[in-house]
Amino acid sequence: MAGLRLDGLRKSFGSTEILKGVDLALADGEMLVIVGASGCGKSTLLRIVAGLETPTSGRVLIDGRDVTDLDPSARDVAMVFQNYALYPHMSVFENMAYGLKIRGLPRSEIRAKVDAASALLGLEALLERKPRQLSGGQRQRVAMGRAIVRDPKLFLFDEPLSNLDAKLRVQMRGEIRRLQRRLKVTSLYVTHDQVEAMTLGDRLLVMHQGVPVQLATPTEVFERPADTYVAGFIGSPAMNLLPGILGRNGTMVRVADTDIDLGLRRFDRPDGHPVILGIRPEHVRPDASGMTWPVEVVEHLGSEMLVHAGRPGDASLTLKTANGAAVSDTIQVAFPAAHLHIFDQATGLRIKA
Amino acid sequence: MERRTLFPGRLLPALLIMPQLVLTVVFFLWPAIQAIKSSLEREDAFGTSTEFVGLDNFADLFADPLYLAAIGRTAVFCACVTAASMGVALVLAVLADTEIRGRAFYRTMLIWPYAVAPAMAAVLWVLMFHPQIGLVGAWLNRIGIAWDYKLDGTQAMALVILAAAWKQISYNFIFFLAGLQAIPKTIIEAARIDGARGFRRFRTILLPLLMPTVYFLLVVDLVYAAFDTFATVYAVNGGGPGQSTQTLVLKVYLDGVVNANVGSSSAQSVVLMAGVIVLCALQFRFLGRKAAT
Ligand SMILES: Nc1ncnc2c1ncn2[C@@H]1O[C@H](COP(=O)(O)OP(=O)(O)O)[C@@H](O)[C@H]1O
Ligand SMILES: [Mg+2]
């Protein structure tokens, strides 16, 4: 096992810059999830690490060794593709054995490794089947098996679960996590699904248009998003972002005509500084003495309801509540100070208290 | 979803297929029936009378050492043309499939020979390999190789194989290239990550996935070499020197039209027809199987 380091990775296709400088260090055995919207450059980053693309500039170091110019075959990494990319003309056994055969391992050793991996993944009964005779979940397992038998320095996952149905996805997610913990292989996992990202990663890297915007633990990313993009991207339903003006020595934000108290925290910006106030829907509290919002749509989620409220003008507010009585044509809400996030309106960056 | 156009009544559909039917009857069915009829008859030397002789023409044919030699020669010719054109086409397709600058240009150039008329292709090769005025032919003689395809049967055979194979390379190339491009890129990338490189990757991943194309082209090329190379071979050296480049299709023509032995020539046509039918049946079976999976 080994660590991974990326130094100032940039990649352009023609004149469009897809990756705009990615620095990253993974500890030995760590699972890092890269999450970002479709098209933000996640696959490109992963393919550069695998050696399938060459970066325009920057370096890739695996286990301290610079592999930037090495062929994929010389990097000792394994990759699980979104469409599995199994060899259609080979049986499950042959699919898993292929990489070992290329490396010239003795037959008995190959057999032993494939048997061990297929036992781990519950594939023993399917070894003679061809990929087309397998279900989606089984193919996914074979793709995992093919990566595991190689015992590589690094696992790369490119949205491996997005072709599965929702139920299977949850199940495989758990399995991948268990396997990774057990095998302790350094892993880079790419997804656009924030739930997958939150549940799988030791740490998350949130990417936005080729720029890494936050690298932190899932809890940290959720509780202290680095900017308005992360705030809106992580968490479902998304965090409310309301434009306002800082006041009272950085202890209050004025949203529309209401002063919202920031509690004991003091934000280090001059009064009158334009900011964005962030609060998650589950933290907005109905409060008869609070700010009044006109209700637009109510979605019933069983025990709770999701209320979409709108201010005439631009701002809109979503809140989650179990208190049906508070909802009519309008709703009065309070914003508890402990759950408020403050961002700079101009840069979108989080303002620390 | 299947798309169908329904024509009302019977007259219009009948009219629409009429041109095809007429062509098939006039240029295929009618001559075929004539050939079968003639193959069972024998004309006297002056062509004044014919008599029914049953399968005598066929019996004579397969007892004729010249005919058996022609079968052998045709087999060699077909095998060489098919192997050469498929081999070269496959190499070119693999090269053209890689990311190179100006590959659209190469691809277009590689497809051109297909549009060259067979006789023109032959003339082109003759001009190159003519012992006196040909660029390659004269050069061979200059460096001390006695090259004259008009005297040496083996050299003549090599030249007709070259000319016939060259014409078929484009066709094979197009299919091989399409076949290669139909292989999902991620499968090749998975193989790269698994450590497979170069020829090993080609042999264990690309070639197996290309096998359906290989089978298809094998049949098409055999049919081409056996039945569709008359113009090329005839234009190079008219089947000569001697009979050294007389393949079965040339022999049908030379025996029937030039030597006016209609009975034997017709029997040969019927044998060829049977050959085409067998090969086509093979091809249909193969294509049918492919469609079913
Ligand atoms: N080979 C390529 N040539 C040109 N553009 C590419 C290539 N590969 C990816 N791109 C572009 O780079 C951007 C990022 O792609 P990708 O890394 O696949 O995003 P993601 O995996 O995050 O959805 C996309 O806009 C895509 O169109
Ligand atoms: Mg992607």
Side-chain angles (χ1 to χ4, degrees):
Chain A
M1 300 313 115
L4 168 73
R5 215 178 90 207
L6 307 181
D7 276 350
L9 272 191
R10 289 173 177 275
K11 175 73 182 175
S12 305
F13 290 111
S15 59
T16 12
E17 190 164 47
I18 301 301
L19 293 178
K20 296 162 186 160
V22 180
D23 296 284
L24 195 58
L26 265 77
D28 197 354
E30 183 184 14
M31 180 137 179
L32 185 127
V33 176
I34 299 178
V35 61
S38 226
C40 73
K42 307 179 300 284
S43 297
T44 306
L45 180 65
L46 211 59
R47 292 165 54 80
I48 289 175
V49 174
L52 297 170
E53 301 273 6
T54 36
T56 312
S57 67
R59 296 192 307 159
V60 179
L61 291 94
I62 298 176
D63 210 4
R65 187 170 65 125
D66 188 343
V67 298
T68 316
D69 299 320
L70 292 186
D71 192 75
S73 56
R75 297 190 179 201
D76 199 12
V77 301
M79 184 153 165
V80 179
F81 293 83
Q82 177 173 350
N83 65 359
Y84 320 130
L86 299 177
Y87 310 125
H89 57 297
M90 296 186 194
S91 68
V92 168
F93 180 88
E94 290 165 330
N95 260 282
M96 291 203 259
Y98 186 70
L100 302 176
K101 254 190 223 160
I102 299 269
R103 275 170 176 69
L105 260 67
R107 208 175 272 270
S108 56
E109 204 174 316
I110 294 179
R111 182 90 238 177
K113 279 178 185 266
V114 173
D115 282 348
S118 47
L120 202 60
L121 292 160
L123 290 170
E124 298 103 319
L126 306 173
L127 286 177
E128 298 314 316
R129 297 239 192 122
K130 289 277 172 64
R132 66 168 176 279
Q133 299 165 306
L134 301 177
S135 69
Q138 291 167 335
R139 284 179 206 183
Q140 178 57 59
R141 283 206 179 86
V142 178
M144 294 278 300
R146 188 167 64 177
I148 289 173
V149 290
R150 289 253 319 277
D151 198 8
K153 288 208 177 93
L154 188 64
F155 272 166
L156 304 172
F157 298 88
D158 192 356
E159 315 213 10
L161 304 183
S162 37
N163 283 2
L164 300 178
D165 61 58
K167 195 172 154 212
L168 209 51
R169 202 170 336 172
V170 173
Q171 186 193 335
M172 286 304 294
R173 198 166 74 201
E175 255 176 67
I176 289 180
R177 190 69 187 120
R178 260 196 307 285
L179 272 174
Q180 200 274 335
R181 286 259 159 85
R182 183 161 159 187
L183 301 169
K184 296 190 174 54
V185 188
T186 315
S187 305
L188 205 52
Y189 187 109
V190 154
T191 180
H192 67 268
D193 181 327
Q194 48 149 323
V195 181
E196 230 169 274
M198 296 293 286
T199 49
L200 276 176
D202 294 322
R203 285 191 299 160
L204 292 190
L205 174 69
V206 185
M207 290 231 312
H208 180 43
Q209 295 179 347
V211 181
V213 282
Q214 187 168 17
L215 174 63
T217 61
T219 322
E220 171 85 10
V221 170
F222 188 79
E223 291 180 352
R224 277 179 293 280
D227 67 8
T228 47
Y229 176 76
V230 179
F233 187 74
I234 301 286
S236 176
M239 184 188 282
N240 296 295
L241 297 168
L242 308 168
I245 305 269
L246 205 60
R248 231 192 289 140
N249 284 325
T251 59
M252 174 276 282
V253 170
R254 169 165 296 188
V255 174
D257 296 324
T258 310
D259 290 352
I260 295 164
D261 189 40
L262 298 177
L264 298 175
R265 292 182 292 171
R266 189 183 164 277
F267 292 84
D268 187 20
R269 291 289 185 282
D271 284 356
H273 192 79
V275 294
I276 304 242
L277 179 83
I279 182 160
R280 297 201 179 275
E282 56 270 34
H283 295 143
V284 179
R285 197 161 39 81
D287 183 329
S289 64
M291 194 176 175
T292 305
W293 290 72
V295 172
E296 284 180 331
V297 182
V298 179
E299 290 177 70
H300 294 272
L301 308 173
S303 61
E304 289 178 305
M305 57 183 71
L306 209 54
V307 182
H308 300 277
R311 278 256 157 204
D314 46 9
S316 73
L317 182 78
T318 304
L319 66 132
K320 226 182 206 171
T321 178
N323 181 1
V327 184
S328 60
D329 285 352
T330 59
I331 184 166
Q332 276 80 39
V333 294
F335 300 125
H339 295 298
L340 294 177
H341 307 257
I342 308 292
F343 305 96
D344 190 304
Q345 214 176 85
T347 61
L349 293 178
R350 179 183 195 81
I351 298 174
K352 294 210 176 62
Chain B
M1 219 185 77
E2 200 174 347
R3 283 189 54 177
R4 279 188 186 182
T5 311
L6 289 178
F7 292 105
R10 289 178 184 236
L11 190 62
L12 184 59
L15 272 175
L16 286 175
I17 58 168
M18 195 51 77
Q20 266 308 321
L21 277 182
V22 169
L23 285 177
T24 310
V25 169
V26 171
F27 289 104
F28 178 70
L29 279 182
W30 177 248
I33 291 164
Q34 285 291 311
I36 292 171
K37 179 168 162 287
S38 311
S39 73
L40 304 174
E41 293 172 346
R42 185 165 292 162
E43 278 190 341
D44 66 30
F46 305 102
T48 50
S49 69
T50 51
E51 58 167 336
F52 182 79
V53 294
L55 295 177
D56 275 7
N57 284 328
F58 292 95
D60 290 351
L61 207 53
F62 286 104
D64 180 1
L66 288 180
Y67 189 69
L68 298 178
I71 292 181
R73 195 180 302 125
T74 307
V76 171
F77 176 77
C78 290
C80 290
V81 168
T82 303
S85 63
M86 279 178 72
V88 174
L90 184 55
V91 172
L92 290 176
V94 169
L95 293 179
D97 189 38
T98 53
E99 307 281 329
I100 47 171
R101 201 178 283 257
R103 66 184 161 169
F105 173 76
Y106 291 119
R107 284 180 192 169
T108 311
M109 295 307 287
L110 284 165
I111 292 164
W112 264 13
Y114 194 58
V116 176
M120 292 310 288
V123 169
L124 208 121
W125 285 89
V126 162
L127 281 177
M128 264 199 298
F129 280 91
H130 192 281
Q132 282 88 45
I133 60 163
L135 209 62
V136 182
W139 175 76
L140 283 172
N141 281 306
R142 250 201 324 282
I143 63 164
I145 296 169
W147 170 267
D148 190 345
Y149 66 88
K150 288 184 185 146
L151 300 176
D152 186 318
T154 313
Q155 292 181 359
M157 190 54 148
L159 188 57
V160 293
I161 288 170
L162 220 54
W166 178 75
K167 263 217 55 72
Q168 191 65 1
I169 287 173
S170 301
Y171 185 87
N172 292 344
F173 170 78
I174 294 169
F175 276 85
F176 276 138
L177 187 60
L180 283 171
Q181 298 196 326
I183 298 173
K185 286 282 165 287
T186 48
I187 289 183
I188 296 160
E189 290 174 349
R192 283 178 70 189
I193 291 175
D194 262 344
R197 320 180 53 163
F199 185 68
R200 176 104 185 239
R201 186 163 77 217
F202 174 78
R203 187 174 55 81
T204 52
I205 306 286
L206 292 181
L207 195 57
L209 295 178
L210 211 53
M211 272 334 257
T213 312
V214 171
Y215 289 134
F216 167 77
L217 287 177
L218 200 61
V219 177
V220 170
D221 285 7
L222 283 174
V223 171
Y224 160 79
F227 310 111
D228 209 11
T229 49
F230 174 84
T232 311
V233 177
Y234 191 71
V236 167
N237 210 14
Q243 287 153 352
S244 57
T245 54
Q246 246 185 54
T247 57
L248 290 174
V249 272
L250 251 75
K251 204 165 154 55
V252 171
Y253 173 77
L254 294 174
D255 286 356
V257 178
V258 180
N259 301 330
N261 188 349
V262 176
S264 171
S265 171
S266 300
Q268 291 179 33
S269 304
V270 173
V271 171
L272 282 183
M273 214 148 45
V276 177
I277 289 168
V278 168
L279 279 173
C280 288
L282 273 177
Q283 188 176 337
F284 273 127
R285 249 194 94 165
F286 163 72
L287 286 178
R289 192 145 39 94
K290 206 174 118 183
T293 52

